[in-house]
Amino acid sequence: MCAESEECVMLERRPDQQPAPVGAVGDFTDWSPDVHPLRARIDGTRTTAAPHPDGATAAHGYLAAGDYWFSAT
């Protein structure tokens, strides 16, 4: 999660887009899925907030259990 003083971006996946558990990975996590795990919401989506300085670009994707990789799109 993001500290109150950080710029953050919300990452979201629909429930039909991945098995659980799943984490957001990218250069902001050193590609580790444990840093920003997506948490289930009441509507079935999974979300997490990740640090993202204003104006910065970040490469990212998602990594689910069983080494299942999928893109951010």
Side-chain angles (χ1 to χ4, degrees), residues 13-73:
R13 301 295 290 176
R14 293 189 321 264
D16 62 335
Q17 292 180 306
Q18 77 281 321
V22 63
V25 296
D27 33 4
F28 55 90
T29 68
D30 246 358
W31 298 95
S32 172
D34 300 324
V35 176
H36 292 292
L38 276 70
R39 304 208 190 285
R41 298 174 56 116
I42 198 162
D43 65 359
T45 60
R46 296 179 178 278
T47 63
T48 192
H52 187 19
D54 192 29
T57 58
H60 76 284
Y62 299 92
L63 179 59
D67 289 332
Y68 177 72
W69 283 89
F70 46 102
S71 69
T73 58

Side-chain angles (χ1 to χ4, degrees), residues 2-26:
C2 293
E4 200 170 305
S5 62
E6 290 180 299
E7 296 283 334
C8 296
V9 63
M10 181 66 72
L11 302 170
E12 178 178 284
R13 301 295 290 176
R14 293 189 321 264
D16 62 335
Q17 292 180 306
Q18 77 281 321
V22 63
V25 296

